[in-house]
Amino acid sequence: MSHPSLVLGIETSCDETAASVVRDGTEILASVVSSQTHSQHGGVVPEVASRAHLEQLLPVIDETLREAKCRPQNLDAIAATTGPGLVGALLVGASAGKALSLAWDLPFVAVNHLHGHIYAAFLEEPDVAMPLVALLVSGGHTMLVEMRDHGDYKLLGQTRDDAAGEAFDKVARLLGLGYPGGPEIDRLATEGNPEAVRFPRPMLADGYDFSFSGLKTAVANHLKKHPNTSTQDVAASFQAAAVDVLVTKAVRAAQNTSTGSLVLAGGVAANSELRRRFAEAADDIGIAHFLPSRSMCTDNAAMIAAAGWQQLRIQGASPLNTAVDPSWGFAA
Amino acid sequence: MTEILALESATDVVGCAVGRHNDNLVEVRASMLANSDRSHGQMLAPMVKAVLSEAEMSIVDIDLVAVDCGPGRYTGLRVGIATAAALAYGQSLPVVKVSSTELLAFGARRFNGYIVSLVDARRGEVFYAVYRGHRHQGTAPGCWLEEIMPPKVGKPDDVITELSKYKGRKLLLGDSEIVGSVISNGVINNGVINCGVVSPSPSSLVVLAAQKAEAGQVWEASELTPLYLRPPDINTARKDTSKKDIAKKDAIKGDAVTRDTVR
Ligand SMILES: [Zn+2]
């Protein structure tokens, strides 16, 4: 049986309109990401996002195909994110993906965005050893996942309240920084003392679940009591606490499972302190680690095409009446 | 001869029809229609497939894609336009865009008087527009519609005010609740009022599209834009969604992807 090789991926789950052509799930021929700016609203506005996706999607797909020098008749499948994410935003990409599969008579593959984030690793390192443990951290998600094989996932733990990226954004707001707050905190923290304030490490000792809302509250309380603490010190100390929890639990998960490698994924994986500590901790316990490049951490469609390619091989195509699922969990 | 694929997804109705325009005949060869609350995104693509197969056609036989561009429900509207645009892009086909209000009115185009289309706009408002039917000159059958007032959004009272400008017979069209909300807000005292409870029909869309195409009103897929008629509600910002790093459009070429080194 010959496996499909060229997959067009489509990603519209949040505020990035993206398309990509990937060969054999590993080689990116083109990947175009058109990002919306929602900074003036202090967060992603679902209706604004949905409108922008509809305007951007076909131009982005067209640019992707031209850049990949790929004609529709060379494609083997269309993969689109169908969850989790903003329902209106997801529907734009899913509808266009289904229609293109009809127009070009190709299989349609409905891809879980979270699976996509893990596949970002395979795009740059096709030989990541499995089983692997992935720490998936973004604005919407904070989870530890064991991936035993392609299509075989086990959720080890996740946040009980705020996502890590959410905590970064909320703390950035407390510090009067712009949106999104993650990159700003990352930058300021390099100029601050991470030991200046000893913020709590919530749930550090127990299990694989996370909790970040208490940490954010601790920062708020500290700022109320000590308004003169330098912004740099607060940013560095908060970041140290958050990273501490994330890395400690990832390492614990790796040690308690028969893990071959540790993978970092999701938008917060672009944080330089998290990358540094994650790599260091993996080295300490002698487990191979993989950090996707920053452009592969944030939302893109190459990861969707890569995940879709594997899914097609394992499960086959998805029906055209597949519903988008805004709260699709990790389990396949 | 033109084979037309028509998509309706802007209102409570989700549907699809395929028809052929040949000389002075428009023949609807297959159509499907469902009243669906919020599953347009699930139903539309399978309907396209089913309608084509019922007509014993394939997508490559289609010459023209027609779609209802609203006003209507934003989510369904986008499902319809994303589907139509991708089909047209994928097959390099021209598109015909119609408004939901025109499509409603088209069904009653032989009415002698003003045709007032009403579409639910939620939040106690309606989308409304006014048309008049005229005898058609081209080969596509029937009458054509003159747009007297383009689609607007307003309260039922605004509709009443607007209608008082038009002397003569009027026909109010829309689903029963919306027509009812306008009527109960004050029956217009000048001119005869008739009401019709109708939904936009994909079969009507085939005929309307044939007329428009004959009149040269065809567009490219990239020119399909929804008629929202309202700015987006920005009070629903997801303050909890963090997005990192990429602030501007960037394209990553395969050979340019580099693995970051950690300092
Ligand atoms: Zn993501």
Side-chain angles (χ1 to χ4, degrees), chain A residues 11 13 113-114 117 138 141 266-267 297-299 303, chain B residues 243:
Chain A
E11 156 62 36
S13 67
H113 180 83
L114 305 174
H117 272 302
S138 73
H141 304 278
C297 294
T298 46
D299 291 352
M303 67 186 201
Chain B
K243 284 312 200 175

Side-chain angles (χ1 to χ4, degrees), chain A residues 53-63 96 100, chain B residues 82 85-86 89 221-222:
Chain A
H53 283 306
L54 188 60
E55 265 172 45
Q56 282 304 309
L57 186 55
L58 281 182
V60 164
I61 289 173
D62 193 53
E63 187 180 337
L100 287 177
Chain B
Y89 168 80
S222 59

Side-chain angles (χ1 to χ4, degrees), chain B residues 104-163:
Chain B
L104 270 182
F106 191 71
R109 61 195 178 278
R110 286 181 187 83
F111 178 77
N112 179 19
Y114 293 98
I115 305 166
V116 184
S117 298
L118 306 169
V119 173
D120 189 358
R122 307 287 151 114
R123 301 180 225 169
E125 295 190 315
V126 279
F127 297 120
Y128 60 109
V130 182
Y131 301 89
R132 259 199 104 107
H134 294 281
R135 290 203 69 80
H136 186 55
Q137 304 299 317
T139 61
C143 307
W144 64 278
L145 282 174
E146 177 191 6
E147 185 180 77
I148 306 288
M149 192 207 81
K152 271 198 207 173
V153 63
K155 301 275 178 211
D157 278 344
D158 301 326
V159 183
I160 308 285
T161 309
E162 178 71 30
L163 291 190

Side-chain angles (χ1 to χ4, degrees), chain A residues 125-201:
Chain A
E125 182 55 68
D127 301 323
V128 178
M130 283 188 277
L132 62 81
V133 165
L135 172 63
L136 175 51
V137 270
S138 73
H141 304 278
T142 303
M143 40 181 68
L144 270 169
V145 180
E146 185 188 4
M147 181 178 177
R148 288 170 290 214
D149 199 350
H150 294 292
D152 182 4
Y153 306 94
K154 184 182 172 197
L155 180 65
L156 300 174
Q158 60 184 327
T159 184
R160 296 187 179 172
D161 39 58
D162 292 355
E166 210 174 337
F168 273 82
D169 273 352
K170 286 178 175 173
V171 168
R173 247 197 333 271
L174 291 171
L175 293 172
L177 308 174
Y179 170 90
E184 271 294 279
I185 289 190
D186 194 352
R187 191 181 62 75
L188 284 171
T190 60
E191 299 158 14
N193 173 9
E195 278 151 32
V197 190
R198 178 72 194 174
F199 286 124
R201 271 70 173 157

